[in-house]
Amino acid sequence: IDGVSVRAKGTGGGIAIARSRLLAVLLDEAIRAGVEVDLGVERSLGDVRDADLVIAADGVGSTTRAELAEHVGGRIDPGRGVFMWLGCATRLRSNLFVPVRTQHGLFTIHGYPYAEERSTLGVEADAGTWRRAGMDTATERTPLTESDAFSIDYLQKAFADALGGAELLGNRSRWMHFRTVSLPRWHHENAVLIGDAAHTAHYSVGSGTKMALEDAVVLADSLTTGEEPALAGALRRYEEIRRPRVEALQDAAVRSQRWWDSIGHRLDLPAPQLMLAYLSRGGVVSTSRLAGSDPGLLRAGLAAFAGVEPTDDELADVRTWVLNRPYEGAALRASGRVLAEDGQAGYREVQSEPFAVTALRAAYPDEALAAVLVTDVDDPWSPAADEVLHRCFALAEAGADGVRLEGRPGRPALLDRLALAERIRRQTKLFTVVGAPADHIDDLVDGIVGGRADLVAMAD
């Protein structure tokens, strides 16, 4: 970010292979197993209805899903921003994230190596930047069978320094809105959907191909095992096994997508702290986990957050260290980050006496430390979230110095509140407090370190 780079390790990484290579391997194995392969032949569901089983893996634009729409239902949600897949004629050292500011706005790259002298790049921009750069008209005039040469040339110049001048490669590359596919049912009679035809997860979590292959493995197992030999039972088992994992990954992917869509709002964070915010964006990688897997990154990120570097002993109990950090804002000073019910702040696992809290201005209402808002908003950038933000501006005008967000129980709702709190604290002058049970302490710590909340309120 602005010439500062940060490297993360030990967070799981990834495995990549050229799509052409993967397809060749799968084709060879299919032929070896005796499958009759017809390449380049399109068939509708009606053409193969007499088969014992029809497996549709025809992607996010699945025609089979459209044919089965009455039976499988579901929804397709387009993303707010736009993205484009590109290749790059170099082998990146590792997964790469680069934001670049241009005269038209912010563009970001997600990149990873997949072969010798080849890498994949996903490029993102918000719709306003895309239009200001003239890329909307470039998209309109580019045939579906060709790559958007105008945009590729623009991006070649924009990312020249970040990519060392490596050539960008198109393959029918054009700007698109990512589509999140969610279905309540993945099969009907003898037809079953797998992969992107049944569900999608934003590419920033890097699991699309993996999910499809796992679908295929579980479907095969379901067809050959179990007490119910009938096809209906096998397809039901497939869904029962796969759906919880898929929905959990989709939940993390939606959070990741919203984080990336709003990345421009948090580029003021120091690079090490932004890396911690990035890793915890979907609720998968926690600050506590990094203490064991990447202590160097964690120490740098915490130093950027708190202005002081934790010792080795303090890093071993990173939750306590974070919750003991003082907070100082325009309206409040507190020597800890945990707000008790009586308006004091203290983390009882660390010390028996509450931390000192000093309100610097009159608060609202009734001299309370923070106005309480109960909200069930799940998308921090939705019209419903806009309404909450307007309410916060009104509270500030009425004399409030902070806002405390409460809402539904459960971890997904807490992650939603933390994301909304981040927008509130960045776009208003209010400090934010997020309430949750103490058993969600890792999410609360991640929220503080990642700039999503100023203080937390933990119930037993």
Side-chain angles (χ1 to χ4, degrees):
I1 302 171
D2 295 331
V4 179
S5 63
V6 179
R7 182 176 295 273
K9 63 180 181 180
T11 56
I15 298 173
I17 183 175
R19 183 171 296 273
S20 58
R21 174 61 179 154
L22 175 62
L23 293 176
V25 170
L26 294 175
L27 180 61
D28 288 346
E29 290 301 315
I31 294 174
R32 191 191 310 276
V35 176
E36 182 180 335
V37 178
D38 289 332
L39 296 178
V41 179
E42 294 188 14
R43 291 189 174 89
S44 68
L45 190 59
D47 296 331
V48 291
R49 265 301 186 187
D50 58 346
D52 294 331
L53 174 65
V54 179
I55 303 172
D58 48 349
V60 63
S62 172
T63 57
T64 310
R65 184 179 64 239
E67 291 182 77
L68 294 174
E70 179 183 350
H71 307 288
V72 299
R75 55 186 292 178
I76 301 176
D77 298 314
R80 295 186 180 94
V82 293
F83 79 101
M84 174 189 289
W85 285 118
L86 291 168
C88 183
T90 189
R91 181 175 178 84
L92 297 172
R93 292 173 55 200
S94 61
N95 291 5
L96 177 71
F97 157 58
V98 183
V100 171
R101 296 181 178 93
T102 72
Q103 61 178 323
H104 301 109
L106 184 72
F107 291 88
T108 59
I109 275 182
H110 312 251
Y112 56 88
Y114 70 85
E116 289 299 326
E117 301 306 316
R118 288 291 184 270
S119 299
T120 290
L121 303 178
V123 185
E124 283 190 82
D126 64 78
T129 297
W130 174 64
R131 293 190 185 95
R132 286 190 294 272
M135 294 176 176
D136 54 338
T137 56
T139 300
E140 291 175 359
R141 65 174 179 259
T142 301
L144 294 176
T145 56
E146 298 179 13
S147 292
D148 181 349
F150 173 85
S151 295
I152 293 175
D153 182 64
Y154 181 107
L155 296 171
Q156 180 77 65
K157 296 181 178 71
F159 287 99
D161 290 342
L163 299 175
E167 180 187 3
L168 296 183
L169 308 172
N171 181 14
R172 291 186 294 179
S173 301
R174 57 190 295 113
W175 293 105
M176 300 175 287
H177 293 277
F178 183 83
R179 291 170 287 172
T180 299
V181 175
S182 304
L183 305 180
R185 184 177 171 87
W186 297 341
H187 74 276
H188 174 68
E189 295 180 345
N190 67 331
V192 59
L193 303 167
I194 68 172
D196 283 354
H199 46 70
T200 61
H202 193 251
Y203 49 83
S204 60
V205 298
S207 294
T209 302
K210 175 175 176 287
M211 291 169 71
L213 291 173
E214 288 174 343
D215 282 354
V217 170
V218 172
L219 177 59
D221 288 345
S222 298
L223 290 166
T224 56
T225 61
E227 298 178 0
E228 298 178 80
L231 180 62
L235 298 184
R236 185 169 57 252
R237 283 193 299 276
Y238 156 66
E239 285 206 37
E240 289 173 350
I241 294 170
R242 283 295 294 148
R243 186 172 290 279
R245 172 59 179 161
V246 166
E247 291 182 347
L249 208 156
Q250 282 188 307
D251 181 74
V254 167
R255 299 181 194 286
S256 179
Q257 179 178 1
R258 291 169 181 163
W259 193 90
W260 284 114
D261 284 347
S262 57
I263 182 64
H265 292 273
R266 56 182 71 85
L267 289 182
D268 60 319
L269 293 176
Q273 186 182 1
L274 181 62
M275 178 65 86
L276 297 187
Y278 156 69
L279 292 174
S280 65
R281 70 197 184 284
V284 177
V285 179
S286 68
T287 302
S288 297
R289 173 180 165 183
L290 289 173
S293 63
D294 199 344
L297 168 63
L298 180 58
R299 182 176 283 106
L302 293 178
F305 150 71
V308 58
E309 187 173 296
T311 66
D312 290 342
D313 289 341
E314 289 169 334
L315 208 62
D317 187 7
V318 67
R319 298 187 187 102
T320 296
W321 189 86
V322 170
L323 296 177
N324 281 349
R325 291 309 91 202
Y327 170 78
E328 183 168 353
L332 178 73
R333 282 198 300 262
S335 54
R337 297 300 181 116
V338 182
L339 188 69
E341 293 298 330
D342 59 2
Q344 297 295 302
Y347 183 36
R348 278 175 277 179
E349 287 187 25
V350 180
Q351 54 189 62
S352 57
E353 295 299 320
F355 292 123
V357 176
T358 304
L360 304 182
R361 294 201 304 264
Y364 170 95
D366 302 325
E367 301 302 317
L369 196 60
V372 176
L373 282 181
V374 178
T375 172
D376 291 333
V377 171
D378 61 351
D379 182 349
W381 301 96
S382 64
D386 294 342
E387 293 180 10
V388 174
L389 197 70
H390 293 324
R391 172 63 173 153
C392 289
F393 280 119
L395 288 169
E397 291 179 3
D401 293 322
V403 61
R404 173 172 168 170
L405 297 183
E406 299 285 354
R408 297 190 310 271
R411 187 171 186 246
L414 167 59
L415 295 175
D416 294 338
R417 286 197 295 279
L418 285 166
L420 179 61
E422 180 185 24
R423 184 182 177 191
I424 291 171
R425 72 181 294 272
R426 285 188 166 276
Q427 297 190 351
T428 75
K429 296 181 179 180
L430 301 172
F431 64 82
T432 58
V433 184
V434 175
D439 56 358
H440 292 305
I441 185 172
D442 277 336
D443 293 318
L444 295 173
V445 168
D446 293 342
I448 292 172
V449 172
R452 294 188 276 274
D454 296 304
L455 300 101
V456 298
M458 290 194 295
D460 291 334

